C-alpha cells in the first residue's frame, strides 16, 4: 500500500472513530440500561481503538535505529 493511500485510509478511519465517539458522548439516548449500557461502553472503547490504530497507520514508526545503535559510536 502506498503511503498516500495508507494516510487517506488512516484519516478516514480516524474520522469514523471520532464521529462514533462524539455520537456516544452527545447523541444516544441517556436511558440505555442493562446490556445496552455495556454495548455503549464497548463501542466507546472500540472507537478509541480505531482512533489509535488510524494514527499508527497515518504516522508509522519507520526509524531504523537510534544514535546509540550506530556502529563506531563511543
Amino acid at each position: 500500500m502506498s503511503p498516500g493511500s495508507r494516510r487517506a485510509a488512516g484519516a478516514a478511519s480516524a474520522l469514523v472513530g471520532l464521529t462514533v465517539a462524539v455520537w456516544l458522548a452527545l447523541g444516544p439516548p441517556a436511558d440505555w440500561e442493562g446490556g445496552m449500557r455495556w454495548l455503549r461502553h464497548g463501542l466507546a472503547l472500540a472507537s478509541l481503538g480505531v482512533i489509535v490504530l488510524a494514527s499508527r497507520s497515518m504516522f508509522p514508526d519507520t526509524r531504523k535505529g537510534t544514535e546509540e545503535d550506530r556502529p563506531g559510536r563511543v
Side-chain angles (χ1 to χ4, degrees), residues 10 13-18 20-21 24 41-57:
S13 298
L15 184 64
V16 168
L18 286 170
V20 171
L24 287 170
H41 292 305
L43 283 173
L45 287 174
S47 68
L48 289 175
V50 166
I51 293 168
V52 168
L53 291 175
S55 67
R56 284 190 173 197
S57 70

